[in-house]
Amino acid sequence: MSQLPVLHTVLSPNLLGLYDVSNSVVVIIDVFRATSTITTALYNGANKVIPVASVEDCIAIGKNLGAITAGERDGKVIPGLQYGNSPAEYPRTFIEGKTLVLTTTNGTRLLHKALDSGADEVITGSFPNLGAVCNHLMEKGKNVILGCSAWKDKFNLEDTLFAGAVISQIKEHFTIHCDSSLMAENMYNLHKNDMYGFIRKLTHWHRLAAFGLEKDLEYCVTENVANVLPLYKDGALIAG
């Protein structure tokens, strides 16, 4: 019998260096809100999303391409950028056919870290595109790293919950001997029937709800409402 590919869950960007990502699909997870926003923009017809690590790069690339610049630091829109990191800001009527250049506190940073570490393929995942992520990972049949963006390298629960949601759907197709994966799946199974209630206890909920973003955060844990696969290719995320 052929050997199944291996799946690991990495709970913080600071732990990524402990794993070999060279022959793996790395799923960048930043539920609140970068990967939810990327998925939504592409689902609503964005041409591509260019994730950049710094605000300066975001402004420069935006000017050069005539693209929309967007981003946040600590949950707030950055001065000098046009838009924020809210999925609600990118309806089809606004984003269709356009390019978005995005920088965020955690998600875009982990994405570049994965690329620098030699990841074979990088995609992004969040609850709105759970099905697309699961289908892709099963089709590829390669090793998988579920990479949680966390919050400034500190563990967070919302990214871990999404990792658990993925694991619960695809675990029959992978070898998983990984305590963080076991924990992620158990957490998801415990709370999947009351996700809106549970997220109100999370640190990041309190951080972002202070800016009036409750509806945003509920959307970010709603499964399969923007089922497209953001795939990193030639410097940008496109609908795979």
Side-chain angles (χ1 to χ4, degrees):
M1 198 177 128
S2 65
Q3 209 173 353
L4 292 173
V6 176
L7 180 148
H8 287 286
T9 301
V10 180
L11 298 175
S12 158
N14 259 4
L15 298 170
L16 189 69
L18 302 175
Y19 297 83
D20 177 12
V21 302
S22 60
N23 193 32
S24 304
V25 179
V26 179
V27 185
I28 306 298
I29 305 165
D30 189 358
V31 170
F32 293 160
R33 296 166 290 161
T35 56
S36 300
T37 298
I38 289 163
T39 294
T40 302
L42 290 172
Y43 181 75
N44 286 330
N47 185 26
K48 58 186 170 184
V49 179
I50 302 173
V52 296
S54 76
V55 178
E56 296 71 31
D57 285 351
C58 193
I59 292 167
I61 292 167
K63 273 196 178 125
N64 190 27
L65 296 178
I68 294 159
T69 59
E72 54 80 25
R73 286 293 181 272
D74 300 340
K76 297 189 278 291
V77 180
I78 302 166
L81 301 183
Q82 297 159 296
Y83 294 91
N85 187 27
S86 166
E89 291 180 86
Y90 304 102
R92 185 169 291 275
T93 49
F94 170 64
I95 197 64
E96 191 166 22
K98 294 176 184 161
T99 293
L100 178 65
V101 188
L102 181 70
T103 182
T104 68
T105 307
N106 306 294
T108 49
R109 201 167 60 87
L110 177 59
L111 188 143
H112 287 287
K113 209 165 185 173
L115 293 168
D116 293 343
S117 302
D120 193 58
E121 180 180 270
V122 173
I123 64 174
T124 71
S126 183
F127 287 97
N129 72 328
L130 173 63
V133 168
C134 291
N135 290 339
H136 181 73
L137 295 178
M138 288 187 288
E139 277 164 23
K140 289 292 277 198
K142 297 188 82 138
N143 295 341
V144 170
I145 299 281
L146 299 176
C148 301
S149 296
W151 172 258
K152 299 183 178 179
D153 292 323
K154 293 175 182 169
F155 172 80
N156 75 15
L157 261 173
E158 62 273 11
D159 294 347
T160 307
L161 287 167
F162 177 74
V166 172
I167 291 161
S168 73
Q169 293 197 19
I170 69 172
K171 62 183 176 183
E172 308 305 327
H173 302 266
F174 291 85
T175 297
I176 307 174
H177 298 306
C178 162
D179 285 357
S180 46
S181 296
L182 176 65
M183 188 257 302
E185 190 193 2
N186 281 340
M187 285 302 296
Y188 172 70
N189 286 332
L190 269 176
H191 300 291
K192 64 185 177 185
N193 296 324
D194 182 29
M195 203 63 92
Y196 285 6
F198 183 60
I199 60 169
R200 283 166 165 73
K201 299 176 182 174
L202 306 185
T203 313
H204 217 64
W205 170 276
H206 295 291
R207 200 179 284 122
L208 295 175
F211 306 126
L213 295 168
E214 292 93 338
K215 281 276 165 276
D216 244 24
L217 303 184
E218 288 180 351
Y219 170 84
C220 290
V221 296
T222 305
E223 296 181 6
N224 299 321
V225 286
N227 233 339
V228 70
L229 186 85
L231 177 68
Y232 190 86
K233 202 171 182 190
D234 303 326
L237 288 152
I238 56 168

